[in-house]
Amino acid sequence: MKLGKFVLALGTVFLVLALVAVFVSCNGHGLKYSVENDGKTIIAIDISTDPTAKDWTSVGCYTYNSELFGGWPGVTLTKSVQDANIFYADISGKEGNCTVIFNNNGAGAQLADVGGVTFKAGKKYIFKSGSIKEWKDYSETYLNETE
């Protein structure tokens, strides 16, 4: 009987901790997920330091040498509600080797081609645009599933 009460109490503690974790992660904008452990393949861009892109309100991502996201302007990225300079998309199931062109969703402006990129399943990629253009691991960042 004592073991049953102990198990019940332990289960209650875990439930309370889980509810606190959900409450803390909600931030008033929808439930966030950690891009580190969700199994999705994410592509993102940070436009904050790029003079061409810093004022874009919509971003497309087109690929060639493997057209992963269809024709121009490619997949439309979602603006992060945590950081208005970051746009992202879930590209799960569309992984591969390609050259990337970020653009203002077909409205006439684009960044230089980023060649030789291989998107691997379950990985997270963010392109830091600006004077130093580079792909980085995006595993320490949170994105928002809903706006």
Side-chain angles (χ1 to χ4, degrees):
M1 191 65 155
K2 289 182 182 181
L3 181 60
K5 288 182 181 181
F6 174 76
V7 170
L8 181 61
L10 189 59
T12 302
V13 168
F14 283 120
L15 177 61
V16 168
L17 290 175
L19 289 173
V20 168
V22 168
F23 178 76
V24 167
S25 68
C26 280
N27 193 24
H29 298 289
L31 185 64
K32 289 187 277 184
Y33 63 92
S34 168
V35 298
E36 184 173 8
N37 297 317
D38 64 6
K40 295 179 181 178
T41 306
I42 302 291
I43 184 173
I45 184 171
D46 179 348
I47 63 170
S48 62
T49 60
D50 192 299
T52 301
K54 68 180 182 171
D55 295 323
W56 289 358
T57 57
S58 184
V59 177
C61 179
Y62 173 75
T63 64
Y64 65 95
N65 294 334
S66 282
E67 199 169 74
L68 302 176
F69 313 132
W72 184 262
V75 65
T76 299
L77 306 183
T78 301
K79 183 185 283 191
S80 169
V81 295
Q82 284 82 21
D83 185 338
N85 293 308
I86 295 179
F87 293 78
Y88 69 95
D90 179 351
I91 61 165
S92 299
K94 298 176 184 172
E95 298 85 4
N97 189 2
C98 60
T99 300
V100 174
I101 301 174
F102 288 103
N103 62 83
N104 64 341
N105 218 18
Q110 68 185 50
L111 301 180
D113 299 10
V114 182
V117 181
T118 301
F119 298 121
K120 296 180 181 177
K123 300 288 184 181
K124 318 304 178 212
Y125 304 89
I126 185 164
F127 184 72
K128 182 70 173 173
S129 185
S131 59
I132 299 175
K133 298 181 183 331
E134 62 183 333
W135 288 99
K136 291 187 173 185
D137 183 354
Y138 201 17
S139 63
E140 297 178 7
T141 304
Y142 287 88
L143 297 176
N144 200 311
E145 286 187 334
T146 59
E147 293 201 27

